[in-house]
Amino acid sequence: MNKVINEVSKKLKSQEYKLTPQREQILRVLLENKDKHLSAEEVYMLVKKKSPDVGLATVYRTLELFLDNDIIRSVNFGDGCKRYEFGDQEGHHHHHVICLKCGKIIEIDEDLLEELEKKVNKEHNFKITNHELKFFGYCKDCAD
Amino acid sequence: MNKVINEVSKKLKSQEYKLTPQREQILRVLLENKDKHLSAEEVYMLVKKKSPDVGLATVYRTLELFLDNDIIRSVNFGDGCKRYEFGDQEGHHHHHVICLKCGKIIEIDEDLLEELEKKVNKEHNFKITNHELKFFGYCKDCAD
DNA sequence: GTCGGTGCAAACGATTTGCAGCGAT
DNA sequence: ATCGCTGCAAATCGTTTGCACCGAC
């Protein structure tokens, strides 16, 4: 984990940004919850446990900073807030399967979209840089 | 168009709902802009031109009603608001290609996901009812 | 006269912003 | 002494809700 933190620190420094204690705490929370998809508010709560005097605004500003520097990604599951996950934009794409009843999220690693991307690129003259695929349905515990 | 309006009217009546003048206006706006992806606010503006005294709340309530009755669909392009398009959930799936610079949206009709859906269904015991695929990139006018 | 549907204004939740203070360089 | 970073509170934006009113049945 410290290795990752170091890399992030370098990445930020190379862009004239600092990894301040608050930012590091936020990063740690994101790393400790790699499997979850935390909202800004949730990150805030978790950070507060360790450093009670961070402000919510700082969390938002830091998440924005991390996003801009491709340190994290944001996903919108349609539940009214953005959610964040560690990993840069260029990292290998995974997709989400979301249970409409319990909200559980499964990640799948398949990436069968290369072909489709090429097709869109050719047919519509559209330079695709990213894609997002979500499946909605019911998990085994919530199946009708 | 009147044919569609009639069908919607029947659909609503079958669920004890009425197609009031306001609701019809909202439906007309949606139909006249089938190719766009209007936000609630945008629908409101367009409806106001014809019927200046509709309220924004009515627009939201009507869109919700249409959603619940599978008359329209909602999509989230990550620009801070839900957007709506005519067409029910069970209708044939199309996907969106979104230009990150000018915001232009192209729709593509391919549906290569059946196979992947089956796989997820089998491997994770997850009953998939819907999926959502978006491509982000740059259209031919905005290409670097 | 009931009751669904409406307009308006107030309330709301997520996010952003203005500003004064702080701390490393 | 500067300037980026911060906390706090206020502002903003999209959306929802409470409420009194209206109009069809």
Side-chain angles (χ1 to χ4, degrees):
Chain A
M1 171 141 120
N2 288 327
K3 185 174 161 253
V4 184
I5 294 178
N6 241 298
E7 283 165 14
V8 169
S9 178
K10 267 185 218 155
K11 200 172 202 174
L12 288 180
K13 278 203 188 99
S14 77
Q15 307 292 317
E16 313 282 286
Y17 295 116
K18 301 176 213 162
L19 187 61
T20 65
Q22 290 93 328
R23 289 176 183 176
E24 188 179 322
Q25 277 298 349
I26 291 166
L27 180 57
R28 292 194 114 88
V29 163
L30 289 168
L31 286 170
E32 284 161 7
N33 293 279
K34 260 187 144 104
D35 51 326
K36 307 249 199 344
H37 296 83
L38 303 175
S39 66
E41 201 82 26
E42 285 164 353
V43 172
Y44 174 60
M45 294 306 186
L46 290 168
V47 171
K48 273 225 138 186
K49 283 185 189 166
K50 308 246 179 136
S51 326
D53 43 356
V54 285
L56 179 53
T58 299
V59 172
Y60 274 105
R61 283 187 282 231
T62 301
L63 290 172
E64 190 59 32
L65 177 75
F66 287 173
L67 267 183
D68 286 351
N69 289 296
D70 288 334
I71 292 160
I72 59 174
R73 233 172 321 191
S74 81
V75 214
N76 196 323
F77 294 121
D79 64 343
C81 61
K82 277 184 198 156
R83 299 187 162 274
Y84 303 85
E85 59 184 15
F86 187 82
D88 65 30
Q89 286 297 340
E90 302 314 322
H92 103 125
H93 287 124
H94 63 261
H95 302 298
H96 297 102
V97 187
I98 303 136
C99 179
L100 293 169
K101 195 167 169 201
C102 69
K104 178 159 49 209
I105 294 165
I106 293 177
E107 297 189 354
I108 55 176
D109 279 347
E110 315 286 339
D111 197 357
L112 307 180
L113 300 174
E114 302 283 333
E115 194 191 332
L116 190 46
E117 256 183 38
K118 273 182 204 146
K119 199 170 175 182
V120 174
N121 200 325
K122 195 171 276 179
E123 286 181 13
H124 296 89
N125 213 330
F126 209 105
K127 189 180 169 189
I128 291 173
T129 59
N130 196 14
H131 60 237
E132 194 180 300
L133 174 57
K134 287 174 246 170
F135 291 100
F136 298 93
Y138 298 94
C139 73
K140 62 175 186 293
D141 301 327
C142 297
D144 302 347
Chain B
M1 172 142 122
N2 287 328
K3 184 172 161 255
V4 183
I5 295 179
N6 240 299
E7 282 165 14
V8 169
S9 176
K10 268 185 217 155
K11 201 171 201 173
L12 289 180
K13 278 204 188 100
S14 77
Q15 307 292 318
E16 313 282 286
Y17 295 116
K18 301 176 213 163
L19 187 62
T20 65
Q22 289 94 326
R23 289 176 183 175
E24 189 180 320
Q25 278 297 349
I26 291 167
L27 180 57
R28 292 193 113 89
V29 162
L30 289 168
L31 286 171
E32 283 160 8
N33 294 278
K34 261 189 143 106
D35 52 325
K36 309 248 198 342
H37 297 82
L38 302 174
S39 66
E41 201 83 26
E42 285 164 353
V43 171
Y44 174 59
M45 293 309 186
L46 290 169
V47 170
K48 273 225 139 187
K49 283 185 190 167
K50 309 245 178 140
S51 326
D53 42 356
V54 286
L56 179 53
T58 299
V59 172
Y60 275 104
R61 284 187 281 231
T62 300
L63 290 172
E64 190 60 33
L65 176 75
F66 287 172
L67 267 183
D68 285 351
N69 289 76
D70 288 334
I71 293 159
I72 60 174
R73 233 171 321 187
S74 81
V75 213
N76 196 322
F77 294 120
D79 64 343
C81 61
K82 276 185 198 157
R83 298 186 164 275
Y84 302 85
E85 59 184 14
F86 188 82
D88 64 32
Q89 286 296 342
E90 302 314 321
H92 100 126
H93 287 124
H94 64 260
H95 302 297
H96 297 103
V97 186
I98 302 136
C99 179
L100 292 169
K101 194 166 170 204
C102 71
K104 178 160 48 210
I105 294 167
I106 293 177
E107 298 189 352
I108 55 176
D109 280 346
E110 315 286 339
D111 196 357
L112 307 180
L113 301 174
E114 302 283 333
E115 191 192 333
L116 191 46
E117 255 183 39
K118 275 183 202 143
K119 199 169 175 184
V120 175
N121 199 324
K122 195 169 276 179
E123 286 181 12
H124 296 90
N125 214 331
F126 209 106
K127 188 181 171 189
I128 290 171
T129 59
N130 197 14
H131 59 237
E132 194 180 300
L133 173 58
K134 286 175 247 170
F135 291 101
F136 298 93
Y138 298 93
C139 72
K140 61 174 187 294
D141 302 327
C142 297
D144 302 346

mmCIF file of all heavy atoms in Angstrom, chain A residues 23-39:
data_model
loop_
_atom_site.group_PDB
_atom_site.id
_atom_site.type_symbol
_atom_site.label_atom_id
_atom_site.label_comp_id
_atom_site.label_asym_id
_atom_site.label_seq_id
_atom_site.Cartn_x
_atom_site.Cartn_y
_atom_site.Cartn_z
ATOM 1 N N ARG A 23 -4.954 14.576 2.015
ATOM 2 C CA ARG A 23 -5.071 13.846 0.751
ATOM 3 C C ARG A 23 -4.604 12.413 0.924
ATOM 4 O O ARG A 23 -5.197 11.493 0.365
ATOM 5 C CB ARG A 23 -4.254 14.565 -0.333
ATOM 6 C CG ARG A 23 -4.895 15.867 -0.758
ATOM 7 C CD ARG A 23 -4.056 16.639 -1.751
ATOM 8 N NE ARG A 23 -4.688 17.916 -2.061
ATOM 9 C CZ ARG A 23 -4.156 18.839 -2.828
ATOM 10 N NH1 ARG A 23 -2.970 18.661 -3.381
ATOM 11 N NH2 ARG A 23 -4.801 19.974 -3.067
ATOM 12 N N GLU A 24 -3.563 12.249 1.728
ATOM 13 C CA GLU A 24 -3.080 10.884 1.944
ATOM 14 C C GLU A 24 -4.121 10.051 2.677
ATOM 15 O O GLU A 24 -4.354 8.898 2.340
ATOM 16 C CB GLU A 24 -1.761 10.908 2.729
ATOM 17 C CG GLU A 24 -1.136 9.525 2.808
ATOM 18 C CD GLU A 24 0.187 9.513 3.566
ATOM 19 O OE1 GLU A 24 0.973 10.478 3.425
ATOM 20 O OE2 GLU A 24 0.418 8.530 4.301
ATOM 21 N N GLN A 25 -4.745 10.643 3.680
ATOM 22 C CA GLN A 25 -5.795 9.926 4.409
ATOM 23 C C GLN A 25 -6.909 9.491 3.463
ATOM 24 O O GLN A 25 -7.408 8.372 3.543
ATOM 25 C CB GLN A 25 -6.404 10.821 5.505
ATOM 26 C CG GLN A 25 -5.629 10.853 6.813
ATOM 27 C CD GLN A 25 -5.550 9.483 7.490
ATOM 28 O OE1 GLN A 25 -6.235 8.540 7.115
ATOM 29 N NE2 GLN A 25 -4.689 9.379 8.480
ATOM 30 N N ILE A 26 -7.301 10.393 2.597
ATOM 31 C CA ILE A 26 -8.374 10.087 1.645
ATOM 32 C C ILE A 26 -7.936 8.956 0.723
ATOM 33 O O ILE A 26 -8.688 8.010 0.474
ATOM 34 C CB ILE A 26 -8.757 11.358 0.857
ATOM 35 C CG1 ILE A 26 -9.438 12.351 1.799
ATOM 36 C CG2 ILE A 26 -9.664 11.010 -0.319
ATOM 37 C CD1 ILE A 26 -9.569 13.761 1.259
ATOM 38 N N LEU A 27 -6.702 9.035 0.265
ATOM 39 C CA LEU A 27 -6.168 7.979 -0.589
ATOM 40 C C LEU A 27 -6.162 6.637 0.140
ATOM 41 O O LEU A 27 -6.544 5.605 -0.410
ATOM 42 C CB LEU A 27 -4.754 8.351 -1.036
ATOM 43 C CG LEU A 27 -4.031 7.358 -1.932
ATOM 44 C CD1 LEU A 27 -4.830 7.075 -3.190
ATOM 45 C CD2 LEU A 27 -2.642 7.872 -2.282
ATOM 46 N N ARG A 28 -5.739 6.670 1.411
ATOM 47 C CA ARG A 28 -5.704 5.432 2.201
ATOM 48 C C ARG A 28 -7.080 4.805 2.300
ATOM 49 O O ARG A 28 -7.244 3.597 2.149
ATOM 50 C CB ARG A 28 -5.188 5.716 3.624
ATOM 51 C CG ARG A 28 -3.739 6.107 3.700
ATOM 52 C CD ARG A 28 -3.209 6.044 5.138
ATOM 53 N NE ARG A 28 -2.212 5.010 5.279
ATOM 54 C CZ ARG A 28 -0.898 5.183 5.064
ATOM 55 N NH1 ARG A 28 -0.440 6.377 4.718
ATOM 56 N NH2 ARG A 28 -0.065 4.187 5.184
ATOM 57 N N VAL A 29 -8.083 5.640 2.566
ATOM 58 C CA VAL A 29 -9.458 5.131 2.660
ATOM 59 C C VAL A 29 -9.858 4.477 1.345
ATOM 60 O O VAL A 29 -10.447 3.387 1.327
ATOM 61 C CB VAL A 29 -10.435 6.269 3.012
ATOM 62 C CG1 VAL A 29 -11.872 5.870 2.697
ATOM 63 C CG2 VAL A 29 -10.308 6.621 4.479
ATOM 64 N N LEU A 30 -9.510 5.115 0.238
ATOM 65 C CA LEU A 30 -9.864 4.551 -1.064
ATOM 66 C C LEU A 30 -9.155 3.216 -1.275
ATOM 67 O O LEU A 30 -9.741 2.264 -1.782
ATOM 68 C CB LEU A 30 -9.501 5.527 -2.183
ATOM 69 C CG LEU A 30 -10.377 6.781 -2.258
ATOM 70 C CD1 LEU A 30 -9.772 7.816 -3.185
ATOM 71 C CD2 LEU A 30 -11.787 6.416 -2.718
ATOM 72 N N LEU A 31 -7.908 3.143 -0.849
ATOM 73 C CA LEU A 31 -7.140 1.909 -1.022
ATOM 74 C C LEU A 31 -7.651 0.795 -0.120
ATOM 75 O O LEU A 31 -7.704 -0.367 -0.517
ATOM 76 C CB LEU A 31 -5.661 2.169 -0.745
ATOM 77 C CG LEU A 31 -4.913 2.944 -1.825
ATOM 78 C CD1 LEU A 31 -3.533 3.361 -1.337
ATOM 79 C CD2 LEU A 31 -4.805 2.117 -3.093
ATOM 80 N N GLU A 32 -8.028 1.175 1.100
ATOM 81 C CA GLU A 32 -8.533 0.172 2.035
ATOM 82 C C GLU A 32 -9.905 -0.344 1.630
ATOM 83 O O GLU A 32 -10.405 -1.313 2.184
ATOM 84 C CB GLU A 32 -8.631 0.780 3.450
ATOM 85 C CG GLU A 32 -7.279 0.907 4.143
ATOM 86 C CD GLU A 32 -7.326 1.911 5.302
ATOM 87 O OE1 GLU A 32 -8.429 2.397 5.631
ATOM 88 O OE2 GLU A 32 -6.249 2.216 5.862
ATOM 89 N N ASN A 33 -10.523 0.333 0.686
ATOM 90 C CA ASN A 33 -11.856 -0.069 0.260
ATOM 91 C C ASN A 33 -11.931 -0.260 -1.246
ATOM 92 O O ASN A 33 -12.929 0.066 -1.886
ATOM 93 C CB ASN A 33 -12.877 0.982 0.700
ATOM 94 C CG ASN A 33 -13.003 1.032 2.207
ATOM 95 O OD1 ASN A 33 -13.691 0.222 2.802
ATOM 96 N ND2 ASN A 33 -12.294 1.968 2.835
ATOM 97 N N LYS A 34 -10.855 -0.788 -1.753
ATOM 98 C CA LYS A 34 -10.734 -1.030 -3.189
ATOM 99 C C LYS A 34 -11.942 -1.737 -3.777
ATOM 100 O O LYS A 34 -12.341 -1.497 -4.902
ATOM 101 C CB LYS A 34 -9.514 -1.931 -3.443
ATOM 102 C CG LYS A 34 -8.266 -1.196 -3.896
ATOM 103 C CD LYS A 34 -7.204 -2.207 -4.280
ATOM 104 C CE LYS A 34 -6.380 -1.754 -5.449
ATOM 105 N NZ LYS A 34 -5.074 -1.263 -5.244
ATOM 106 N N ASP A 35 -12.506 -2.661 -2.998
ATOM 107 C CA ASP A 35 -13.613 -3.477 -3.519
ATOM 108 C C ASP A 35 -14.955 -2.769 -3.443
ATOM 109 O O ASP A 35 -15.883 -3.106 -4.140
ATOM 110 C CB ASP A 35 -13.688 -4.791 -2.732
ATOM 111 C CG ASP A 35 -13.713 -4.524 -1.231
ATOM 112 O OD1 ASP A 35 -13.061 -3.556 -0.784
ATOM 113 O OD2 ASP A 35 -14.389 -5.267 -0.498
ATOM 114 N N LYS A 36 -15.041 -1.751 -2.571
ATOM 115 C CA LYS A 36 -16.293 -1.013 -2.460
ATOM 116 C C LYS A 36 -16.337 0.066 -3.538
ATOM 117 O O LYS A 36 -15.376 0.276 -4.257
ATOM 118 C CB LYS A 36 -16.363 -0.347 -1.079
ATOM 119 C CG LYS A 36 -16.145 -1.304 0.073
ATOM 120 C CD LYS A 36 -17.381 -1.509 0.872
ATOM 121 C CE LYS A 36 -17.093 -2.070 2.266
ATOM 122 N NZ LYS A 36 -15.786 -2.666 2.527
ATOM 123 N N HIS A 37 -17.433 0.751 -3.583
ATOM 124 C CA HIS A 37 -17.551 1.889 -4.490
ATOM 125 C C HIS A 37 -18.087 3.029 -3.653
ATOM 126 O O HIS A 37 -19.293 3.238 -3.589
ATOM 127 C CB HIS A 37 -18.482 1.577 -5.652
ATOM 128 C CG HIS A 37 -17.978 0.476 -6.524
ATOM 129 N ND1 HIS A 37 -18.175 -0.844 -6.225
ATOM 130 C CD2 HIS A 37 -17.259 0.502 -7.673
ATOM 131 C CE1 HIS A 37 -17.602 -1.588 -7.158
ATOM 132 N NE2 HIS A 37 -17.042 -0.801 -8.051
ATOM 133 N N LEU A 38 -17.191 3.734 -3.010
ATOM 134 C CA LEU A 38 -17.584 4.729 -2.033
ATOM 135 C C LEU A 38 -18.056 6.022 -2.676
ATOM 136 O O LEU A 38 -17.525 6.450 -3.692
ATOM 137 C CB LEU A 38 -16.409 5.031 -1.112
ATOM 138 C CG LEU A 38 -15.809 3.844 -0.352
ATOM 139 C CD1 LEU A 38 -14.575 4.287 0.419
ATOM 140 C CD2 LEU A 38 -16.839 3.232 0.592
ATOM 141 N N SER A 39 -19.024 6.637 -2.030
ATOM 142 C CA SER A 39 -19.444 7.971 -2.430
ATOM 143 C C SER A 39 -18.582 8.974 -1.673
ATOM 144 O O SER A 39 -17.889 8.620 -0.725
ATOM 145 C CB SER A 39 -20.908 8.194 -2.063
ATOM 146 O OG SER A 39 -21.052 8.190 -0.657
#
